[in-house]
Amino acid sequence: MAIVVVDVALKPEILDPQGRAIVSALGRVGLSGVADVRQGKQFVLTIDGEIDDAKLAQINEIASTLLSNPVIEDFTVQVRR
Amino acid sequence: MAIVVVDVALKPEILDPQGRAIVSALGRVGLSGVADVRQGKQFVLTIDGEIDDAKLAQINEIASTLLSNPVIEDFTVQVRR
Amino acid sequence: MTPRVGVITFPGSLDDKDAARAVRIAGADSVALWHADADLHSVDAVVLPGGFSYGDYLRCGAIAKFAPVMEKLVDAANGGLPILGICNGFQVLTESHLLPGALTRNDHLHFICRDQKLRIENNTSAWTSDFNVGDEILIPLKNGEGGYVADEKTLDELEGEGRVIARYLEINPNGSRRDIAGITNSRGNVVGIMPHPEHAVETLTGPTTDGLGFFSSLLKSLVNDGKVSA
Amino acid sequence: MSVDKVSDAISSPDESQPFAELGLKKDEYESIRGILGRRPTSSELAMYSVMWSEHCSYKSSKVHLRQFGTKVPKNNSMLVGIGENAGVVDIGQGWAVTFKVESHNHPSYVEPYQGAATGIGGIVRDIISMGARPVAVMDPLRFGDPENPDTRRVLTGIVSGIGGYGNCLGLPNIGGEIVFDPSYQGNPLVNALCVGTMKHEDIHLAKATGIGNAVILYGARTGGDGIGGVSVLASETFDADGPAKRPSVQVGDPFMEKLLIECTLEVLHGGLVEGIQDLGGAGISCATSELASNGEGGMHVWLDRVLLRDSTLSPEEILMSESQERMCAVVEPAKIDAFMAVCKKWDVEAVVIGEVNNSGRLTVESHGEQIVDVPPRSVAHDGPVYERPYARPDWMDVRQASGPENLVRPSSAAQVKQTWLTMTGTPNLASKSWVTSQYDRYVMGNTILAQPEDSGMIRVDEKTGLGVAVSTDCNARFAALDPYKGAQLALAESYRNVAVTGAKPLAVTNCLNFGSPEDPAVMWQFEQAVTGLADACLEMGTPVTGGNVSFYNQTGEVAIHPTPVIGVLGVIQNVERRTPMAWGLDGEFVYVLGTTRDELAGSEWAHAIHNHLGGLPPVLDLNAEMTLAEILVAGSREGFFSAAHDVSEGGIAQTTAEMAMRSGIGVRLDVPAGLDAFTFLWSESATRAVVVVPQNQNDAFLTLCQSKSFPVTKIGSVDSSIKSIELTGVFGETISLAIDELRVISEETLPRLFG
Ligand SMILES: Nc1ncnc2c1ncn2[C@@H]1O[C@H](COP(=O)(O)OP(=O)(O)O)[C@@H](O)[C@H]1O
Ligand SMILES: [Mg+2]
């Protein structure tokens, strides 16, 4: 059993209305000094068996086609041990 | 300037329909061996100035009230340097 | 022969019956296509309807692009088959790279359902030939993730090639770049549009019957292309 | 993990059991022991505790609800009555309609988004389980003070939950209510209504018939959500308990529900199902015991076959789990394969968990061990029944005696105009489009009317134009002043709203939201409201087909206003004849049907301007209400009206302002003789509507009113040359309200508060 975490974030140039809404809400509740918030997604995959290079390549493929949309998003893959 | 990352995940006992949909999609695109997927949120906060204990406490407070709903979600806060 | 227009149903498609109704009102036969059936049953055109395919979990349209029927559809699109993606259908088309760009969360973060004014910008595509450029139409819009985005180069290209088919008027309801409501591919057979023409085909149930133009355009182009006889 | 088996219960009769923690009273526990002749196993205790909770057993309300069964009007349209998942009404041409309203108040306060979302999910499953296709939803909502910051959290969450679930499910939202009153501050009301349509032959019931038939559980997997939710969440109040004591909430999966709808309708239409039941409160406990006790009387269940999301769940938890999006079907063995094939087509998991028998017992085994052996009826239907004490509280005298007579009224033309502008923007009267634009009203392509029209209207048959209209209403302030009259006024308003659109009122559903039944004053309000409703339904010929009771709506000791939300369903033969609320053409005459009296107690004016609640609610003549409805329905059929709109909250001022805003065309009005401008504009007398009559229909319309001896007053005419409401006779002067100004005021309130 292994855990693989895929973080997906909007590309920096893409507007993030959710992040913006959070910045203004933070202002309302009195947390000042937050310059920016970006909201991304995190996928935690539980994988049967061990993670080898082939599997990792497969996961990267999935991350770039299914879990993220390369037109607007970047992603990172980490194996958590 | 500091970057603080807040990861928010559904509590393990709470249904994650999105994660479930992804598991079945993965099956269809031919990635087998994925036992489970949980989809969470990741907030990347850019903070002015340095992070001290007081600020961290404030961010924890925000994470537990604004960024997550403790009834259904857990969160973690990490300072990224 | 009456043209046959396929309407694909994915799990979670919602406006498939409505799209079929619009096809019938326009005078064509509607053919139900099933996501798991990798066969277009020799239809003359296809509509990808609105809704929440696969719950729109993950990203709108992202899971639908892996449906068996989509592989056939991509081939057919490249072969020139007229395809209209409405709302979720538009999202499926961008996820499948049949159309450029992406549809993102509305800038105001709410789902919005309203009667939306549009200006028709292109009357050369398979689905807009019955309009005049500059026509103003009013049809329902309903989406949570309808903000059209693409990089500047792509946007310039779309504008330059006249591939923006309709633009929002008066209000930009979702933060779409350059008020874009719908686009087409360069060949003009694949069109994606965020608002819902199929909900504006009867006075009783829609704000206008302006949406019929998309379907009558299709019939006209099929005749012009010699696909069906007049 | 050792399970508590039936044999253990026999061998260790004196083991102490946590019945109190599960919400059972000592005497209830004793009666379970009496029924079983031994102590219950822990699984049996779990089942009884959820099924005998207030929410599932109606133990405090049953004695009063019986009136809906005894005072039944002669109306041969009822095909299925109270007691099933939802009532079914014949609307002609072989079509039937089922509709029901339910509450999800407490879960929606704890987790507004999911609470409201699963509220929609639950009521939709009730409708599918009758064999109907759900075709529309409505959402009557009540919130606290709009300026209180918590109201923002609650309202925005609830609205996105309803939209998020309903939109994804593909059901048009055709109406509802949004009402603000401080009495709901710590206890918002989330009521959800669903309408379904079917052909008569498709009606299905929750019955496990046919010995040897399989019991199939299908839909989402069973998880640990909402365990004890039904008995704890829906039956206790929130006071001092912190978040830690909050039980786990259920999360909805609207996509799964959509698959469940399609899959269920396909197996039903394929003739693959003998009996069907949704899983709601009390989950498998409820579904199996109700199916068994309504059918052959016996059932055996293999609990370890239930597909789980969480493999660590104990049998007790599996029995109690309220995981959403699940259904149970009874299927003949020869049809199981076909049933499973349909499930597979829709990607819905299904498994046979039991078998129907005639043992008279519901038996459950888990991994070969017998853990439940009970008479199913004792679980499902023979729960405790309480005759709770009730008494009219003394403070009612004070409340009813302090009427609105001494409140300062506007006394000049300028003040009248200012009052009108102010009233247009109060949160209760302001445009609700900020909320309703978050709901899809177009999906399915059969929505004829939706908010802000008086009722939602759906086309049932595209060929003939047959349609239904539904409205839900309740002015809880009236119910607070007099619960008997208040319930009747709510019925009358809902009935009128249906009639105004041209549909003939046919049947009633209700959601009775009250405080704690253990408070005799609340119990009195409840008894009065039920009696008032039952009496009025009998007189008006509209049977109650079902409904829901929600108790314990209070913060600490303070109960909400009694809020009997009444839904009325009506039929229109051809939706092309519907009457909209916006007037159309120049020169059309504007009339008020009905009598305007000086009735301001409980009005929106008294509430919004003076924060006053006292006096007696408006008088109500049910016969006059029926006559008004006859005129409205006949007028729609005969083409007498270009528009019509009900007069209720905010009086004629609000009614005419809404008509003007909807159409954008101006009107010239005149305060009729015998009335002062204030009373004319803001009285909330019942049984009134504003109608707009083309000149060529004028004589026929007046003849109709005369033939029914119904009071009618001409108040003006439509004038397309102006974009304002011009009202003469206001303290000798004319006031003018620009429609655009009214619209801005009306539209900006909700975004300002919640946007
Ligand atoms: N206020 C009421 N008026 C009429 N019928 C009611 C009322 N409250 C509950 N009922 C009826 O009692 C039966 C049981 O209700 P309930 O347990 O809520 O049903 P379900 O479990 O299907 O949601 C239903 O037939 C319902 O319509
Ligand atoms: Mg039910």
Side-chain angles (χ1 to χ4, degrees):
Chain A
M1 284 287 251
I3 303 284
V4 177
V5 179
V6 180
D7 289 339
V8 174
L10 281 173
K11 285 185 195 291
E13 66 271 23
I14 302 281
L15 176 75
D16 176 9
Q18 318 201 58
R20 234 188 18 185
I22 293 165
V23 174
S24 38
L26 287 175
R28 268 200 300 274
V29 301
L31 183 67
S32 59
V34 179
D36 189 29
V37 176
R38 306 282 294 173
Q39 177 170 341
K41 298 176 196 166
Q42 181 167 70
F43 302 94
V44 180
L45 284 62
T46 309
I47 313 272
D48 295 333
E50 281 311 293
I51 304 283
D52 52 18
D53 282 356
K55 201 137 226 175
L56 207 57
Q58 238 187 339
I59 293 171
N60 266 288
E61 168 70 16
I62 292 298
S64 70
T65 52
L66 179 69
L67 300 182
S68 73
N69 177 352
V71 177
I72 48 170
E73 294 167 325
D74 295 325
F75 69 92
T76 60
V77 174
Q78 285 163 270
V79 181
R80 209 184 261 172
R81 290 178 214 267
Chain B
M1 283 288 252
I3 302 285
V4 178
V5 180
V6 181
D7 289 339
V8 174
L10 281 172
K11 284 185 197 289
E13 69 270 21
I14 299 281
L15 172 72
D16 177 7
Q18 320 208 48
R20 222 192 45 112
I22 296 165
V23 174
S24 22
L26 288 174
R28 272 195 297 274
V29 302
L31 182 67
S32 59
V34 179
D36 190 29
V37 177
R38 305 282 292 176
Q39 177 169 344
K41 298 177 197 162
Q42 182 167 68
F43 300 93
V44 181
L45 285 63
T46 309
I47 313 270
D48 295 333
E50 279 312 292
I51 304 285
D52 52 17
D53 281 359
K55 199 134 227 177
L56 207 57
Q58 242 186 337
I59 293 171
N60 265 288
E61 169 69 17
I62 294 298
S64 71
T65 52
L66 184 72
L67 300 181
S68 74
N69 177 351
V71 179
I72 51 173
E73 293 167 324
D74 295 325
F75 68 92
T76 61
V77 174
Q78 286 162 270
V79 182
R80 210 185 261 170
R81 292 179 211 267
Chain C
M1 205 186 84
T2 320
R4 299 170 68 245
V5 180
V7 177
I8 300 184
T9 299
F10 297 98
S13 290
L14 304 179
D15 300 310
D16 45 347
K17 303 253 161 47
D18 306 66
R21 184 191 294 116
V23 162
R24 285 195 305 272
I25 290 176
D29 285 341
S30 71
V31 177
L33 300 177
W34 181 240
H35 73 111
D37 179 12
D39 189 342
L40 296 178
H41 297 275
S42 28
V43 292
D44 301 305
V46 171
V47 179
L48 296 171
F52 290 72
S53 55
Y54 299 92
D56 273 356
Y57 297 145
L58 191 53
R59 275 185 326 283
C60 303
I63 300 181
K65 81 170 159 189
F66 295 106
V69 75
M70 283 305 293
E71 211 172 303
K72 291 280 182 276
L73 191 80
V74 170
D75 290 346
N78 294 330
L81 188 77
I83 294 168
L84 175 67
I86 303 169
C87 194
N88 193 235
F90 188 6
Q91 294 160 339
V92 176
L93 291 175
T94 57
E95 283 284 345
S96 310
H97 307 300
L98 286 173
L99 290 173
L103 292 141
T104 57
R105 187 88 189 263
N106 294 348
D107 56 356
H108 48 78
L109 299 176
H110 296 294
F111 183 95
I112 184 157
C113 175
R114 68 188 305 271
D115 297 341
Q116 177 71 43
K117 215 178 223 189
L118 305 178
R119 184 174 57 235
I120 299 293
E121 301 279 21
N122 160 312
N123 70 344
T124 58
S125 84
W127 299 88
T128 55
S129 56
D130 227 7
F131 290 106
N132 295 312
V133 171
D135 277 356
E136 294 187 2
I137 65 171
L138 182 77
I139 64 178
L141 168 106
K142 36 169 223 180
N143 64 258
E145 309 203 3
Y148 182 74
V149 300
D151 56 36
E152 289 300 316
K153 184 170 149 281
T154 307
L155 291 170
D156 290 341
E157 234 170 69
L158 287 172
E159 304 267 11
E161 296 172 13
R163 288 167 54 197
V164 174
I165 60 137
R167 246 185 262 271
Y168 297 117
L169 277 189
E170 289 171 9
I171 279 183
N172 180 333
N174 45 29
S176 287
R177 307 295 302 275
R178 305 193 193 180
D179 299 333
I180 290 174
I183 57 172
T184 178
N185 62 351
S186 36
R187 190 167 176 167
N189 63 314
V190 179
V191 165
I193 182 152
M194 211 55 216
H196 289 258
E198 84 283 17
H199 287 320
V201 295
E202 294 179 282
T203 43
L204 264 180
T205 53
T208 63
T209 54
D210 293 348
L212 266 181
F214 288 84
F215 302 93
S216 58
S217 295
L218 169 74
L219 266 62
K220 197 167 120 183
S221 358
L222 290 175
V223 171
N224 287 348
D225 293 354
K227 292 270 165 47
V228 295
S229 50
Chain D
M1 195 168 42
S2 79
V3 293
D4 189 22
K5 302 181 287 288
V6 172
S7 56
D8 298 332
I10 296 167
S11 64
S12 63
D14 300 324
E15 196 171 295
S16 88
Q17 296 189 283
F19 61 86
E21 288 81 345
L22 287 165
L24 287 167
K25 301 274 188 298
K26 177 87 183 141
D27 56 333
E28 292 172 343
Y29 177 66
E30 288 308 328
S31 77
I32 296 167
R33 294 188 67 121
I35 289 165
L36 300 177
R38 57 172 165 80
R39 76 161 173 87
T41 65
S42 57
S43 296
E44 289 165 343
L45 188 63
M47 290 181 83
Y48 280 103
S49 74
V50 286
M51 290 300 290
W52 285 15
S53 70
E54 184 66 57
H55 180 78
C56 291
S57 73
Y58 291 87
K59 56 189 167 192
S60 304
S61 54
K62 224 175 215 165
V63 291
H64 302 293
L65 295 180
R66 280 183 192 138
Q67 296 183 67
F68 296 140
T70 53
K71 299 176 183 171
V72 193
K74 273 208 213 69
N75 175 326
N76 41 20
S77 64
M78 189 119 105
L79 298 174
V80 175
I82 293 183
E84 280 292 332
N85 287 312
V88 181
V89 186
D90 177 15
I91 60 163
Q93 302 177 18
W95 285 98
V97 173
T98 176
F99 75 130
K100 187 177 172 196
V101 58
E102 247 185 17
S103 66
H104 230 217
N105 305 337
H106 295 110
S108 302
Y109 183 63
V110 177
E111 215 305 303
Y113 185 98
Q114 294 297 346
T118 52
I120 297 284
I123 190 65
V124 167
R125 285 192 300 282
D126 267 333
I127 296 303
I128 334 175
S129 67
M130 298 308 299
R133 172 172 285 280
V135 293
V137 293
M138 299 173 89
D139 58 330
L141 308 175
R142 302 284 184 292
F143 302 101
D145 178 358
E147 305 284 348
N148 184 312
D150 196 49
T151 302
R152 183 193 182 90
R153 169 190 77 94
V154 172
L155 181 142
T156 53
I158 285 170
V159 167
S160 7
I162 290 168
Y165 202 97
N167 294 341
C168 186
L169 206 51
L171 294 179
N173 186 307
I174 58 166
E177 297 168 82
I178 298 163
V179 178
F180 299 94
D181 189 287
S183 90
Y184 307 108
Q185 193 64 56
N187 200 120
L189 303 185
V190 175
N191 294 177
L193 180 147
C194 184
V195 192
T197 58
M198 64 191 130
K199 293 298 218 166
H200 287 193
E201 60 269 23
D202 290 330
I203 297 173
H204 278 77
L205 301 178
K207 272 191 198 159
T209 49
I211 292 161
N213 284 348
V215 180
I216 298 181
L217 181 65
Y218 65 107
R221 290 190 168 215
T222 300
D225 33 358
I227 289 176
V230 115
S231 55
V232 184
L233 263 185
S235 307
E236 300 301 335
T237 53
F238 302 109
D239 3 59
D241 302 353
K245 275 193 76 181
R246 286 174 183 164
S248 80
V249 270
Q250 309 133 28
V251 169
D253 180 353
F255 172 55
M256 175 55 82
E257 182 108 334
K258 166 71 180 167
L259 300 183
L260 214 47
I261 294 177
E262 300 304 332
C263 177
T264 300
L265 291 175
E266 196 165 324
V267 292
L268 289 176
H269 293 161
L272 303 177
V273 172
E274 307 308 311
I276 190 153
Q277 169 73 303
D278 59 301
L279 273 76
I284 294 176
S285 296
C286 178
T288 54
S289 61
E290 285 193 354
L291 280 170
S293 90
N294 292 341
E296 308 289 348
M299 183 185 292
H300 183 73
V301 173
W302 295 274
L303 201 61
D304 44 282
R305 294 190 185 173
V306 172
L307 297 172
L308 300 180
R309 218 167 66 223
D310 172 355
S311 57
T312 66
L313 289 183
S314 67
E316 296 85 345
E317 290 173 313
I318 298 169
L319 284 166
M320 291 171 90
S321 164
E322 291 180 6
S323 287
Q324 300 289 298
E325 291 93 23
R326 297 179 298 165
M327 301 277 293
C328 216
V330 177
V331 178
E332 285 177 13
K335 295 177 178 168
I336 293 176
D337 287 349
F339 185 100
M340 293 297 179
V342 174
C343 290
K344 188 159 189 321
K345 169 181 171 192
W346 288 103
D347 253 326
V348 169
E349 290 186 314
V351 65
V352 175
I353 62 160
E355 191 178 281
V356 179
N357 59 38
N358 60 356
S359 64
R361 312 289 289 184
L362 171 61
T363 48
V364 178
E365 69 174 82
S366 175
H367 300 287
E369 311 277 15
Q370 178 104 330
I371 57 171
V372 171
D373 182 357
V374 296
R377 214 185 148 75
S378 71
V379 180
H381 295 292
D382 298 337
V385 175
Y386 290 161
E387 307 252 359
R388 300 240 189 229
Y390 59 90
R392 180 176 184 276
D394 294 339
W395 45 256
M396 279 302 290
D397 290 338
V398 182
R399 187 177 271 186
Q400 292 186 334
S402 57
E405 296 75 27
N406 297 327
L407 303 178
V408 180
R409 300 177 170 198
S411 58
S412 69
Q415 286 177 6
V416 167
K417 177 171 176 178
Q418 188 49 52
T419 302
W420 198 331
L421 295 175
T422 307
M423 290 288 288
T424 303
T426 70
N428 282 335
L429 297 183
S431 163
K432 302 301 185 296
S433 68
W434 183 81
V435 168
T436 54
S437 68
Q438 297 183 46
Y439 304 149
D440 184 349
R441 61 181 178 277
Y442 283 111
V443 65
M444 298 188 114
N446 285 312
T447 305
I448 306 298
L449 298 173
Q451 278 193 357
E453 301 282 342
D454 286 303
S455 48
M457 188 181 285
I458 291 289
R459 179 173 60 186
V460 173
D461 189 329
E462 280 185 51
K463 283 188 213 79
T464 63
L466 181 68
V468 293
V470 185
S471 172
T472 72
D473 288 287
C474 177
N475 183 335
R477 291 191 300 262
F478 292 163
L481 297 178
D482 179 344
Y484 181 93
K485 278 279 157 51
Q488 297 198 327
L489 282 160
L491 170 69
E493 184 179 345
S494 199
Y495 186 98
R496 191 183 325 133
N497 277 311
V498 164
V500 154
T501 61
K504 184 178 177 335
L506 202 62
V508 169
T509 184
N510 66 82
C511 192
L512 306 174
N513 306 275
F514 287 76
S516 166
E518 295 162 39
D519 176 346
V522 169
M523 213 48 220
W524 173 79
Q525 292 174 325
F526 182 78
E527 181 273 331
Q528 286 287 297
V530 170
T531 307
L533 180 61
D535 289 348
C537 285
L538 180 61
E539 192 164 339
M540 299 183 88
T542 46
V544 173
T545 62
N548 178 243
V549 177
S550 173
F551 277 134
Y552 297 100
N553 293 290
Q554 53 187 70
T555 314
E557 293 295 295
V558 187
I560 59 164
H561 287 333
T563 313
V565 171
I566 311 298
V568 171
L569 177 127
V571 181
I572 182 163
Q573 295 307 318
N574 185 353
V575 291
E576 288 197 31
R577 295 247 50 93
R578 86 251 175 257
T579 311
M581 67 182 268
W583 49 56
L585 295 174
D586 202 38
E588 291 173 344
F589 295 139
V590 182
Y591 287 94
V592 174
L593 282 164
T595 307
T596 303
R597 305 178 196 87
D598 188 336
E599 292 179 308
L600 275 306
S603 69
E604 179 62 18
W605 172 80
H607 171 75
I609 306 291
H610 295 285
N611 192 23
H612 175 272
L613 179 59
L616 291 171
V619 297
L620 177 63
D621 175 346
L622 295 170
N623 270 309
E625 196 68 59
M626 292 162 70
T627 307
L628 173 63
E630 284 167 18
I631 293 172
L632 291 168
V633 173
S636 134
R637 196 178 49 231
E638 306 296 332
F640 293 166
F641 306 137
S642 68
H645 194 18
D646 145 76
V647 181
S648 54
E649 280 210 315
I652 287 173
Q654 182 66 15
T655 301
T656 52
E658 285 173 356
M659 296 173 89
M661 287 187 279
R662 185 99 166 126
S663 86
I665 296 172
V667 69
R668 292 187 188 278
L669 302 176
D670 187 22
V671 177
L675 279 179
D676 66 285
F678 169 79
T679 309
F680 169 65
L681 289 170
W682 287 294
S683 161
E684 294 186 13
S685 294
T687 321
R688 294 180 302 161
V690 170
V691 295
V692 182
V693 181
Q695 290 191 8
N696 63 1
Q697 301 293 339
N698 197 44
D699 293 348
F701 163 67
L702 290 177
T703 307
L704 172 67
C705 295
Q706 226 161 32
S707 75
K708 307 240 178 220
S709 309
F710 198 81
V712 58
T713 312
K714 187 164 159 198
I715 61 167
S717 56
V718 176
D719 184 346
S720 63
S721 69
I722 55 174
K723 291 254 176 294
S724 58
I725 299 177
E726 305 285 323
L727 175 64
T728 56
V730 184
F731 299 102
E733 292 178 47
T734 298
I735 60 170
S736 168
L737 295 110
I739 296 174
D740 284 342
E741 185 182 1
L742 287 171
R743 194 179 278 136
V744 167
I745 294 172
S746 175
E747 299 268 328
E748 74 188 2
T749 301
L750 261 55
R752 173 177 64 76
L753 290 164
F754 308 112

